[in-house]
PDB file of all heavy atoms in Angstrom:
ATOM      1  N   ALA Z   1     229.161  48.117  77.430  1.00 54.00           N
ATOM      2  CA  ALA Z   1     228.389  49.278  77.032  1.00 54.00           C
ATOM      3  C   ALA Z   1     227.541  48.996  75.794  1.00 54.00           C
ATOM      4  O   ALA Z   1     226.517  49.610  75.594  1.00 54.00           O
ATOM      5  CB  ALA Z   1     229.317  50.454  76.744  1.00 54.00           C
ATOM      6  N   LEU Z   2     227.958  48.039  74.994  1.00 67.00           N
ATOM      7  CA  LEU Z   2     227.210  47.718  73.784  1.00 67.00           C
ATOM      8  C   LEU Z   2     226.270  46.543  73.959  1.00 67.00           C
ATOM      9  O   LEU Z   2     225.736  46.018  73.006  1.00 67.00           O
ATOM     10  CB  LEU Z   2     228.179  47.440  72.624  1.00 67.00           C
ATOM     11  CG  LEU Z   2     229.084  48.609  72.271  1.00 67.00           C
ATOM     12  CD1 LEU Z   2     230.073  48.205  71.232  1.00 67.00           C
ATOM     13  CD2 LEU Z   2     228.268  49.796  71.811  1.00 67.00           C
ATOM     14  N   GLY Z   3     226.066  46.091  75.187  1.00 72.00           N
ATOM     15  CA  GLY Z   3     225.084  45.063  75.470  1.00 72.00           C
ATOM     16  C   GLY Z   3     225.644  43.694  75.780  1.00 72.00           C
ATOM     17  O   GLY Z   3     224.880  42.775  76.045  1.00 72.00           O
ATOM     18  N   ALA Z   4     226.923  43.506  75.735  1.00 76.00           N
ATOM     19  CA  ALA Z   4     227.504  42.195  76.038  1.00 76.00           C
ATOM     20  C   ALA Z   4     227.564  42.031  77.560  1.00 76.00           C
ATOM     21  O   ALA Z   4     227.905  42.957  78.276  1.00 76.00           O
ATOM     22  CB  ALA Z   4     228.891  42.074  75.443  1.00 76.00           C
ATOM     23  N   ASP Z   5     227.249  40.839  78.018  1.00 83.00           N
ATOM     24  CA  ASP Z   5     227.380  40.584  79.445  1.00 83.00           C
ATOM     25  C   ASP Z   5     228.796  40.050  79.721  1.00 83.00           C
ATOM     26  O   ASP Z   5     229.589  39.823  78.809  1.00 83.00           O
ATOM     27  CB  ASP Z   5     226.318  39.619  79.942  1.00 83.00           C
ATOM     28  CG  ASP Z   5     226.321  38.302  79.195  1.00 83.00           C
ATOM     29  OD1 ASP Z   5     227.033  38.175  78.198  1.00 83.00           O
ATOM     30  OD2 ASP Z   5     225.576  37.386  79.626  1.00 83.00           O
ATOM     31  N   SER Z   6     229.112  39.904  80.990  1.00 85.00           N
ATOM     32  CA  SER Z   6     230.481  39.545  81.354  1.00 85.00           C
ATOM     33  C   SER Z   6     230.866  38.158  80.853  1.00 85.00           C
ATOM     34  O   SER Z   6     232.018  37.922  80.492  1.00 85.00           O
ATOM     35  CB  SER Z   6     230.665  39.631  82.868  1.00 85.00           C
ATOM     36  OG  SER Z   6     229.793  38.744  83.536  1.00 85.00           O
ATOM     37  N   ILE Z   7     229.908  37.245  80.789  1.00 88.00           N
ATOM     38  CA  ILE Z   7     230.190  35.890  80.285  1.00 88.00           C
ATOM     39  C   ILE Z   7     230.596  35.957  78.803  1.00 88.00           C
ATOM     40  O   ILE Z   7     231.539  35.277  78.383  1.00 88.00           O
ATOM     41  CB  ILE Z   7     228.959  34.973  80.482  1.00 88.00           C
ATOM     42  CG1 ILE Z   7     228.627  34.833  81.952  1.00 88.00           C
ATOM     43  CG2 ILE Z   7     229.196  33.621  79.815  1.00 88.00           C
ATOM     44  CD1 ILE Z   7     229.707  34.172  82.755  1.00 88.00           C
ATOM     45  N   ARG Z   8     229.929  36.770  78.030  1.00 87.00           N
ATOM     46  CA  ARG Z   8     230.287  36.900  76.608  1.00 87.00           C
ATOM     47  C   ARG Z   8     231.655  37.505  76.425  1.00 87.00           C
ATOM     48  O   ARG Z   8     232.385  37.104  75.531  1.00 87.00           O
ATOM     49  CB  ARG Z   8     229.254  37.757  75.888  1.00 87.00           C
ATOM     50  CG  ARG Z   8     228.008  37.029  75.546  1.00 87.00           C
ATOM     51  CD  ARG Z   8     227.140  37.887  74.656  1.00 87.00           C
ATOM     52  NE  ARG Z   8     225.911  37.210  74.349  1.00 87.00           N
ATOM     53  CZ  ARG Z   8     224.940  37.764  73.658  1.00 87.00           C
ATOM     54  NH1 ARG Z   8     225.041  38.987  73.246  1.00 87.00           N
ATOM     55  NH2 ARG Z   8     223.854  37.071  73.406  1.00 87.00           N
ATOM     56  N   ILE Z   9     232.008  38.447  77.261  1.00 86.00           N
ATOM     57  CA  ILE Z   9     233.334  39.053  77.164  1.00 86.00           C
ATOM     58  C   ILE Z   9     234.404  38.040  77.481  1.00 86.00           C
ATOM     59  O   ILE Z   9     235.401  37.919  76.753  1.00 86.00           O
ATOM     60  CB  ILE Z   9     233.428  40.286  78.075  1.00 86.00           C
ATOM     61  CG1 ILE Z   9     232.521  41.398  77.521  1.00 86.00           C
ATOM     62  CG2 ILE Z   9     234.854  40.783  78.194  1.00 86.00           C
ATOM     63  CD1 ILE Z   9     232.418  42.596  78.413  1.00 86.00           C
ATOM     64  N   ILE Z  10     234.221  37.295  78.553  1.00 88.00           N
ATOM     65  CA  ILE Z  10     235.202  36.259  78.904  1.00 88.00           C
ATOM     66  C   ILE Z  10     235.271  35.204  77.824  1.00 88.00           C
ATOM     67  O   ILE Z  10     236.368  34.771  77.421  1.00 88.00           O
ATOM     68  CB  ILE Z  10     234.860  35.645  80.281  1.00 88.00           C
ATOM     69  CG1 ILE Z  10     235.055  36.690  81.372  1.00 88.00           C
ATOM     70  CG2 ILE Z  10     235.694  34.413  80.548  1.00 88.00           C
ATOM     71  CD1 ILE Z  10     234.599  36.264  82.745  1.00 88.00           C
ATOM     72  N   ARG Z  11     234.130  34.793  77.267  1.00 90.00           N
ATOM     73  CA  ARG Z  11     234.108  33.802  76.205  1.00 90.00           C
ATOM     74  C   ARG Z  11     234.832  34.326  74.968  1.00 90.00           C
ATOM     75  O   ARG Z  11     235.541  33.580  74.303  1.00 90.00           O
ATOM     76  CB  ARG Z  11     232.664  33.445  75.872  1.00 90.00           C
ATOM     77  CG  ARG Z  11     232.560  32.257  74.928  1.00 90.00           C
ATOM     78  CD  ARG Z  11     231.133  31.911  74.628  1.00 90.00           C
ATOM     79  NE  ARG Z  11     230.407  31.605  75.846  1.00 90.00           N
ATOM     80  CZ  ARG Z  11     229.114  31.850  76.001  1.00 90.00           C
ATOM     81  NH1 ARG Z  11     228.411  32.422  75.033  1.00 90.00           N
ATOM     82  NH2 ARG Z  11     228.512  31.552  77.126  1.00 90.00           N
ATOM     83  N   HIS Z  12     234.662  35.599  74.659  1.00 90.00           N
ATOM     84  CA  HIS Z  12     235.342  36.192  73.509  1.00 90.00           C
ATOM     85  C   HIS Z  12     236.867  36.177  73.714  1.00 90.00           C
ATOM     86  O   HIS Z  12     237.616  35.794  72.814  1.00 90.00           O
ATOM     87  CB  HIS Z  12     234.856  37.622  73.293  1.00 90.00           C
ATOM     88  CG  HIS Z  12     235.570  38.349  72.206  1.00 90.00           C
ATOM     89  ND1 HIS Z  12     235.384  38.045  70.873  1.00 90.00           N
ATOM     90  CD2 HIS Z  12     236.500  39.326  72.232  1.00 90.00           C
ATOM     91  CE1 HIS Z  12     236.157  38.820  70.150  1.00 90.00           C
ATOM     92  NE2 HIS Z  12     236.842  39.610  70.951  1.00 90.00           N
ATOM     93  N   PHE Z  13     237.312  36.604  74.888  1.00 90.00           N
ATOM     94  CA  PHE Z  13     238.751  36.596  75.173  1.00 90.00           C
ATOM     95  C   PHE Z  13     239.298  35.190  75.103  1.00 90.00           C
ATOM     96  O   PHE Z  13     240.365  34.958  74.503  1.00 90.00           O
ATOM     97  CB  PHE Z  13     239.009  37.153  76.586  1.00 90.00           C
ATOM     98  CG  PHE Z  13     239.235  38.626  76.647  1.00 90.00           C
ATOM     99  CD1 PHE Z  13     238.195  39.514  76.472  1.00 90.00           C
ATOM    100  CD2 PHE Z  13     240.488  39.118  76.900  1.00 90.00           C
ATOM    101  CE1 PHE Z  13     238.404  40.864  76.546  1.00 90.00           C
ATOM    102  CE2 PHE Z  13     240.709  40.485  76.982  1.00 90.00           C
ATOM    103  CZ  PHE Z  13     239.657  41.365  76.800  1.00 90.00           C
ATOM    104  N   LEU Z  14     238.610  34.219  75.720  1.00 91.00           N
ATOM    105  CA  LEU Z  14     239.091  32.848  75.718  1.00 91.00           C
ATOM    106  C   LEU Z  14     239.050  32.230  74.320  1.00 91.00           C
ATOM    107  O   LEU Z  14     239.907  31.426  73.970  1.00 91.00           O
ATOM    108  CB  LEU Z  14     238.295  32.003  76.701  1.00 91.00           C
ATOM    109  CG  LEU Z  14     238.568  32.280  78.168  1.00 91.00           C
ATOM    110  CD1 LEU Z  14     237.653  31.431  79.038  1.00 91.00           C
ATOM    111  CD2 LEU Z  14     240.006  32.032  78.521  1.00 91.00           C
ATOM    112  N   GLY Z  15     238.082  32.623  73.515  1.00 92.00           N
ATOM    113  CA  GLY Z  15     238.012  32.129  72.144  1.00 92.00           C
ATOM    114  C   GLY Z  15     239.184  32.623  71.309  1.00 92.00           C
ATOM    115  O   GLY Z  15     239.848  31.839  70.607  1.00 92.00           O
ATOM    116  N   GLN Z  16     239.461  33.914  71.398  1.00 93.00           N
ATOM    117  CA  GLN Z  16     240.588  34.473  70.649  1.00 93.00           C
ATOM    118  C   GLN Z  16     241.908  33.925  71.177  1.00 93.00           C
ATOM    119  O   GLN Z  16     242.778  33.551  70.398  1.00 93.00           O
ATOM    120  CB  GLN Z  16     240.570  36.004  70.763  1.00 93.00           C
ATOM    121  CG  GLN Z  16     239.378  36.674  70.120  1.00 93.00           C
ATOM    122  CD  GLN Z  16     239.428  36.567  68.615  1.00 93.00           C
ATOM    123  OE1 GLN Z  16     240.472  36.706  68.018  1.00 93.00           O
ATOM    124  NE2 GLN Z  16     238.292  36.299  68.027  1.00 93.00           N
ATOM    125  N   GLY Z  17     242.059  33.885  72.497  1.00 93.00           N
ATOM    126  CA  GLY Z  17     243.286  33.362  73.071  1.00 93.00           C
ATOM    127  C   GLY Z  17     243.452  31.877  72.817  1.00 93.00           C
ATOM    128  O   GLY Z  17     244.561  31.388  72.561  1.00 93.00           O
ATOM    129  N   GLY Z  18     242.359  31.122  72.897  1.00 92.00           N
ATOM    130  CA  GLY Z  18     242.406  29.688  72.664  1.00 92.00           C
ATOM    131  C   GLY Z  18     242.850  29.344  71.249  1.00 92.00           C
ATOM    132  O   GLY Z  18     243.578  28.359  71.048  1.00 92.00           O
ATOM    133  N   LEU Z  19     242.449  30.155  70.292  1.00 95.00           N
ATOM    134  CA  LEU Z  19     242.882  29.948  68.928  1.00 95.00           C
ATOM    135  C   LEU Z  19     244.393  30.123  68.800  1.00 95.00           C
ATOM    136  O   LEU Z  19     245.074  29.287  68.204  1.00 95.00           O
ATOM    137  CB  LEU Z  19     242.152  30.919  67.989  1.00 95.00           C
ATOM    138  CG  LEU Z  19     242.474  30.810  66.519  1.00 95.00           C
ATOM    139  CD1 LEU Z  19     242.003  29.481  65.974  1.00 95.00           C
ATOM    140  CD2 LEU Z  19     241.821  31.970  65.768  1.00 95.00           C
ATOM    141  N   LEU Z  20     244.908  31.151  69.422  1.00 95.00           N
ATOM    142  CA  LEU Z  20     246.361  31.376  69.389  1.00 95.00           C
ATOM    143  C   LEU Z  20     247.102  30.310  70.165  1.00 95.00           C
ATOM    144  O   LEU Z  20     248.200  29.877  69.764  1.00 95.00           O
ATOM    145  CB  LEU Z  20     246.682  32.756  69.922  1.00 95.00           C
ATOM    146  CG  LEU Z  20     246.232  33.937  69.055  1.00 95.00           C
ATOM    147  CD1 LEU Z  20     246.478  35.248  69.770  1.00 95.00           C
ATOM    148  CD2 LEU Z  20     246.927  33.912  67.727  1.00 95.00           C
ATOM    149  N   ILE Z  21     246.547  29.884  71.283  1.00 95.00           N
ATOM    150  CA  ILE Z  21     247.172  28.832  72.082  1.00 95.00           C
ATOM    151  C   ILE Z  21     247.230  27.533  71.276  1.00 95.00           C
ATOM    152  O   ILE Z  21     248.266  26.865  71.230  1.00 95.00           O
ATOM    153  CB  ILE Z  21     246.417  28.630  73.406  1.00 95.00           C
ATOM    154  CG1 ILE Z  21     246.590  29.845  74.304  1.00 95.00           C
ATOM    155  CG2 ILE Z  21     246.880  27.354  74.125  1.00 95.00           C
ATOM    156  CD1 ILE Z  21     245.640  29.881  75.469  1.00 95.00           C
ATOM    157  N   ALA Z  22     246.135  27.154  70.654  1.00 95.00           N
ATOM    158  CA  ALA Z  22     246.107  25.931  69.867  1.00 95.00           C
ATOM    159  C   ALA Z  22     247.093  26.002  68.707  1.00 95.00           C
ATOM    160  O   ALA Z  22     247.803  25.026  68.402  1.00 95.00           O
ATOM    161  CB  ALA Z  22     244.693  25.679  69.341  1.00 95.00           C
ATOM    162  N   LEU Z  23     247.182  27.137  68.061  1.00 97.00           N
ATOM    163  CA  LEU Z  23     248.136  27.319  66.960  1.00 97.00           C
ATOM    164  C   LEU Z  23     249.555  27.198  67.470  1.00 97.00           C
ATOM    165  O   LEU Z  23     250.389  26.519  66.877  1.00 97.00           O
ATOM    166  CB  LEU Z  23     247.915  28.667  66.309  1.00 97.00           C
ATOM    167  CG  LEU Z  23     248.818  29.002  65.123  1.00 97.00           C
ATOM    168  CD1 LEU Z  23     248.537  28.059  63.961  1.00 97.00           C
ATOM    169  CD2 LEU Z  23     248.597  30.443  64.695  1.00 97.00           C
ATOM    170  N   GLY Z  24     249.846  27.837  68.589  1.00 95.00           N
ATOM    171  CA  GLY Z  24     251.185  27.773  69.160  1.00 95.00           C
ATOM    172  C   GLY Z  24     251.588  26.391  69.605  1.00 95.00           C
ATOM    173  O   GLY Z  24     252.708  25.936  69.387  1.00 95.00           O
ATOM    174  N   VAL Z  25     250.658  25.693  70.267  1.00 95.00           N
ATOM    175  CA  VAL Z  25     250.950  24.322  70.733  1.00 95.00           C
ATOM    176  C   VAL Z  25     251.130  23.403  69.523  1.00 95.00           C
ATOM    177  O   VAL Z  25     252.055  22.572  69.498  1.00 95.00           O
ATOM    178  CB  VAL Z  25     249.850  23.811  71.672  1.00 95.00           C
ATOM    179  CG1 VAL Z  25     249.968  22.321  71.919  1.00 95.00           C
ATOM    180  CG2 VAL Z  25     249.895  24.547  72.980  1.00 95.00           C
ATOM    181  N   GLY Z  26     250.297  23.555  68.519  1.00 95.00           N
ATOM    182  CA  GLY Z  26     250.441  22.714  67.318  1.00 95.00           C
ATOM    183  C   GLY Z  26     251.754  22.938  66.606  1.00 95.00           C
ATOM    184  O   GLY Z  26     252.444  21.966  66.243  1.00 95.00           O
ATOM    185  N   LEU Z  27     252.121  24.198  66.421  1.00 96.00           N
ATOM    186  CA  LEU Z  27     253.411  24.494  65.782  1.00 96.00           C
ATOM    187  C   LEU Z  27     254.573  24.054  66.647  1.00 96.00           C
ATOM    188  O   LEU Z  27     255.589  23.558  66.138  1.00 96.00           O
ATOM    189  CB  LEU Z  27     253.506  25.981  65.466  1.00 96.00           C
ATOM    190  CG  LEU Z  27     252.608  26.503  64.356  1.00 96.00           C
ATOM    191  CD1 LEU Z  27     252.712  28.020  64.245  1.00 96.00           C
ATOM    192  CD2 LEU Z  27     252.943  25.854  63.020  1.00 96.00           C
ATOM    193  N   GLY Z  28     254.441  24.213  67.949  1.00 93.00           N
ATOM    194  CA  GLY Z  28     255.508  23.795  68.849  1.00 93.00           C
ATOM    195  C   GLY Z  28     255.706  22.288  68.852  1.00 93.00           C
ATOM    196  O   GLY Z  28     256.852  21.804  68.841  1.00 93.00           O
ATOM    197  N   LEU Z  29     254.606  21.522  68.839  1.00 91.00           N
ATOM    198  CA  LEU Z  29     254.719  20.071  68.795  1.00 91.00           C
ATOM    199  C   LEU Z  29     255.307  19.615  67.468  1.00 91.00           C
ATOM    200  O   LEU Z  29     256.133  18.686  67.430  1.00 91.00           O
ATOM    201  CB  LEU Z  29     253.362  19.430  69.033  1.00 91.00           C
ATOM    202  CG  LEU Z  29     252.818  19.504  70.441  1.00 91.00           C
ATOM    203  CD1 LEU Z  29     251.401  18.941  70.500  1.00 91.00           C
ATOM    204  CD2 LEU Z  29     253.717  18.722  71.398  1.00 91.00           C
ATOM    205  N   ALA Z  30     254.908  20.260  66.381  1.00 91.00           N
ATOM    206  CA  ALA Z  30     255.452  19.912  65.075  1.00 91.00           C
ATOM    207  C   ALA Z  30     256.962  20.217  65.024  1.00 91.00           C
ATOM    208  O   ALA Z  30     257.744  19.400  64.518  1.00 91.00           O
ATOM    209  CB  ALA Z  30     254.719  20.655  63.974  1.00 91.00           C
ATOM    210  N   ALA Z  31     257.362  21.342  65.545  1.00 92.00           N
ATOM    211  CA  ALA Z  31     258.780  21.705  65.550  1.00 92.00           C
ATOM    212  C   ALA Z  31     259.581  20.769  66.450  1.00 92.00           C
ATOM    213  O   ALA Z  31     260.688  20.358  66.109  1.00 92.00           O
ATOM    214  CB  ALA Z  31     258.948  23.147  66.004  1.00 92.00           C
ATOM    215  N   ALA Z  32     259.004  20.410  67.589  1.00 87.00           N
ATOM    216  CA  ALA Z  32     259.696  19.487  68.519  1.00 87.00           C
ATOM    217  C   ALA Z  32     259.868  18.118  67.868  1.00 87.00           C
ATOM    218  O   ALA Z  32     260.917  17.485  68.009  1.00 87.00           O
ATOM    219  CB  ALA Z  32     258.938  19.379  69.821  1.00 87.00           C
ATOM    220  N   ALA Z  33     258.847  17.660  67.168  1.00 84.00           N
ATOM    221  CA  ALA Z  33     258.942  16.352  66.505  1.00 84.00           C
ATOM    222  C   ALA Z  33     259.951  16.410  65.359  1.00 84.00           C
ATOM    223  O   ALA Z  33     260.664  15.434  65.101  1.00 84.00           O
ATOM    224  CB  ALA Z  33     257.567  15.930  65.984  1.00 84.00           C
ATOM    225  N   ALA Z  34     260.038  17.555  64.677  1.00 86.00           N
ATOM    226  CA  ALA Z  34     260.971  17.684  63.566  1.00 86.00           C
ATOM    227  C   ALA Z  34     262.421  17.754  64.061  1.00 86.00           C
ATOM    228  O   ALA Z  34     263.352  17.398  63.330  1.00 86.00           O
ATOM    229  CB  ALA Z  34     260.650  18.920  62.746  1.00 86.00           C
ATOM    230  N   LEU Z  35     262.620  18.211  65.278  1.00 84.00           N
ATOM    231  CA  LEU Z  35     263.986  18.376  65.809  1.00 84.00           C
ATOM    232  C   LEU Z  35     264.388  17.236  66.748  1.00 84.00           C
ATOM    233  O   LEU Z  35     265.236  17.420  67.628  1.00 84.00           O
ATOM    234  CB  LEU Z  35     264.092  19.708  66.536  1.00 84.00           C
ATOM    235  CG  LEU Z  35     263.890  20.955  65.672  1.00 84.00           C
ATOM    236  CD1 LEU Z  35     263.798  22.195  66.540  1.00 84.00           C
ATOM    237  CD2 LEU Z  35     265.000  21.062  64.669  1.00 84.00           C
ATOM    238  N   THR Z  36     263.823  16.054  66.577  1.00 82.00           N
ATOM    239  CA  THR Z  36     264.088  14.962  67.499  1.00 82.00           C
ATOM    240  C   THR Z  36     265.561  14.513  67.474  1.00 82.00           C
ATOM    241  O   THR Z  36     266.086  14.098  68.499  1.00 82.00           O
ATOM    242  CB  THR Z  36     263.214  13.742  67.192  1.00 82.00           C
ATOM    243  OG1 THR Z  36     263.385  13.361  65.829  1.00 82.00           O
ATOM    244  CG2 THR Z  36     261.759  14.044  67.492  1.00 82.00           C
ATOM    245  N   ARG Z  37     266.222  14.595  66.347  1.00 75.00           N
ATOM    246  CA  ARG Z  37     267.635  14.190  66.299  1.00 75.00           C
ATOM    247  C   ARG Z  37     268.478  15.108  67.181  1.00 75.00           C
ATOM    248  O   ARG Z  37     269.377  14.648  67.869  1.00 75.00           O
ATOM    249  CB  ARG Z  37     268.151  14.225  64.877  1.00 75.00           C
ATOM    250  CG  ARG Z  37     267.597  13.111  64.037  1.00 75.00           C
ATOM    251  CD  ARG Z  37     268.200  13.118  62.668  1.00 75.00           C
ATOM    252  NE  ARG Z  37     267.565  12.098  61.851  1.00 75.00           N
ATOM    253  CZ  ARG Z  37     267.713  11.990  60.565  1.00 75.00           C
ATOM    254  NH1 ARG Z  37     268.507  12.818  59.921  1.00 75.00           N
ATOM    255  NH2 ARG Z  37     267.102  11.034  59.904  1.00 75.00           N
ATOM    256  N   PHE Z  38     268.217  16.384  67.157  1.00 78.00           N
ATOM    257  CA  PHE Z  38     268.948  17.332  67.993  1.00 78.00           C
ATOM    258  C   PHE Z  38     268.605  17.128  69.461  1.00 78.00           C
ATOM    259  O   PHE Z  38     269.470  17.179  70.319  1.00 78.00           O
ATOM    260  CB  PHE Z  38     268.636  18.764  67.566  1.00 78.00           C
ATOM    261  CG  PHE Z  38     269.238  19.792  68.462  1.00 78.00           C
ATOM    262  CD1 PHE Z  38     270.605  20.011  68.463  1.00 78.00           C
ATOM    263  CD2 PHE Z  38     268.454  20.546  69.311  1.00 78.00           C
ATOM    264  CE1 PHE Z  38     271.174  20.951  69.302  1.00 78.00           C
ATOM    265  CE2 PHE Z  38     268.995  21.491  70.135  1.00 78.00           C
ATOM    266  CZ  PHE Z  38     270.375  21.699  70.131  1.00 78.00           C
ATOM    267  N   GLN Z  39     267.339  16.855  69.748  1.00 74.00           N
ATOM    268  CA  GLN Z  39     266.901  16.683  71.129  1.00 74.00           C
ATOM    269  C   GLN Z  39     267.427  15.414  71.751  1.00 74.00           C
ATOM    270  O   GLN Z  39     267.622  15.338  72.969  1.00 74.00           O
ATOM    271  CB  GLN Z  39     265.375  16.636  71.201  1.00 74.00           C
ATOM    272  CG  GLN Z  39     264.706  17.940  70.897  1.00 74.00           C
ATOM    273  CD  GLN Z  39     263.198  17.770  70.897  1.00 74.00           C
ATOM    274  OE1 GLN Z  39     262.686  16.682  71.043  1.00 74.00           O
ATOM    275  NE2 GLN Z  39     262.486  18.866  70.728  1.00 74.00           N
ATOM    276  N   ALA Z  40     267.658  14.395  70.968  1.00 72.00           N
ATOM    277  CA  ALA Z  40     268.078  13.096  71.517  1.00 72.00           C
ATOM    278  C   ALA Z  40     269.373  13.222  72.293  1.00 72.00           C
ATOM    279  O   ALA Z  40     269.553  12.538  73.300  1.00 72.00           O
ATOM    280  CB  ALA Z  40     268.237  12.090  70.370  1.00 72.00           C
ATOM    281  N   GLY Z  41     270.270  14.088  71.891  1.00 73.00           N
ATOM    282  CA  GLY Z  41     271.517  14.275  72.623  1.00 73.00           C
ATOM    283  C   GLY Z  41     271.345  15.079  73.894  1.00 73.00           C
ATOM    284  O   GLY Z  41     272.199  15.028  74.767  1.00 73.00           O
ATOM    285  N   LEU Z  42     270.261  15.801  74.050  1.00 73.00           N
ATOM    286  CA  LEU Z  42     270.045  16.665  75.201  1.00 73.00           C
ATOM    287  C   LEU Z  42     269.235  15.970  76.309  1.00 73.00           C
ATOM    288  O   LEU Z  42     269.207  16.441  77.445  1.00 73.00           O
ATOM    289  CB  LEU Z  42     269.324  17.939  74.795  1.00 73.00           C
ATOM    290  CG  LEU Z  42     270.044  18.828  73.777  1.00 73.00           C
ATOM    291  CD1 LEU Z  42     269.133  19.969  73.356  1.00 73.00           C
ATOM    292  CD2 LEU Z  42     271.328  19.367  74.378  1.00 73.00           C
ATOM    293  N   LEU Z  43     268.554  14.907  75.971  1.00 68.00           N
ATOM    294  CA  LEU Z  43     267.640  14.257  76.929  1.00 68.00           C
ATOM    295  C   LEU Z  43     268.334  13.103  77.631  1.00 68.00           C
ATOM    296  O   LEU Z  43     269.104  12.364  77.048  1.00 68.00           O
ATOM    297  CB  LEU Z  43     266.417  13.757  76.194  1.00 68.00           C
ATOM    298  CG  LEU Z  43     265.588  14.826  75.480  1.00 68.00           C
ATOM    299  CD1 LEU Z  43     264.497  14.176  74.661  1.00 68.00           C
ATOM    300  CD2 LEU Z  43     265.006  15.784  76.463  1.00 68.00           C
ATOM    301  N   TYR Z  44     268.017  12.953  78.894  1.00 72.00           N
ATOM    302  CA  TYR Z  44     268.548  11.854  79.688  1.00 72.00           C
ATOM    303  C   TYR Z  44     267.401  11.052  80.272  1.00 72.00           C
ATOM    304  O   TYR Z  44     266.576  11.595  81.022  1.00 72.00           O
ATOM    305  CB  TYR Z  44     269.456  12.370  80.807  1.00 72.00           C
ATOM    306  CG  TYR Z  44     269.962  11.285  81.710  1.00 72.00           C
ATOM    307  CD1 TYR Z  44     270.974  10.439  81.288  1.00 72.00           C
ATOM    308  CD2 TYR Z  44     269.402  11.073  82.946  1.00 72.00           C
ATOM    309  CE1 TYR Z  44     271.432   9.429  82.097  1.00 72.00           C
ATOM    310  CE2 TYR Z  44     269.853  10.071  83.773  1.00 72.00           C
ATOM    311  CZ  TYR Z  44     270.875   9.232  83.347  1.00 72.00           C
ATOM    312  OH  TYR Z  44     271.316   8.230  84.128  1.00 72.00           O
ATOM    313  N   GLY Z  45     267.279   9.825  79.897  1.00 70.00           N
ATOM    314  CA  GLY Z  45     266.233   8.947  80.441  1.00 70.00           C
ATOM    315  C   GLY Z  45     264.870   9.126  79.787  1.00 70.00           C
ATOM    316  O   GLY Z  45     263.901   8.541  80.260  1.00 70.00           O
ATOM    317  N   VAL Z  46     264.787   9.889  78.725  1.00 68.00           N
ATOM    318  CA  VAL Z  46     263.523  10.092  78.019  1.00 68.00           C
ATOM    319  C   VAL Z  46     263.773   9.908  76.545  1.00 68.00           C
ATOM    320  O   VAL Z  46     264.760  10.442  75.994  1.00 68.00           O
ATOM    321  CB  VAL Z  46     262.977  11.526  78.277  1.00 68.00           C
ATOM    322  CG1 VAL Z  46     261.678  11.738  77.501  1.00 68.00           C
ATOM    323  CG2 VAL Z  46     262.761  11.763  79.749  1.00 68.00           C
TER     324      VAL Z  46
END
């Protein structure tokens, strides 16, 4: 209604969501790397 086309709306959603996804993946990878001693007992063959 304010002049944005559908591509801009999708780009806006993906931009906002992508930022949160990148933050979550980054924090998750950092936490997983920090907890490697605990994980070592849970993993088999990896």
Side-chain angles (χ1 to χ4, degrees):
L2 299 175
D5 56 352
S6 61
I7 298 297
R8 281 189 181 175
I9 291 174
I10 292 173
R11 190 179 302 148
H12 175 73
F13 270 73
L14 289 177
Q16 295 290 320
L19 181 66
L20 292 174
I21 292 167
L23 181 65
V25 168
L27 289 174
L29 288 174
L35 297 171
T36 55
R37 288 185 184 168
F38 174 71
Q39 291 176 355
L42 300 174
L43 300 173
Y44 176 75
V46 178

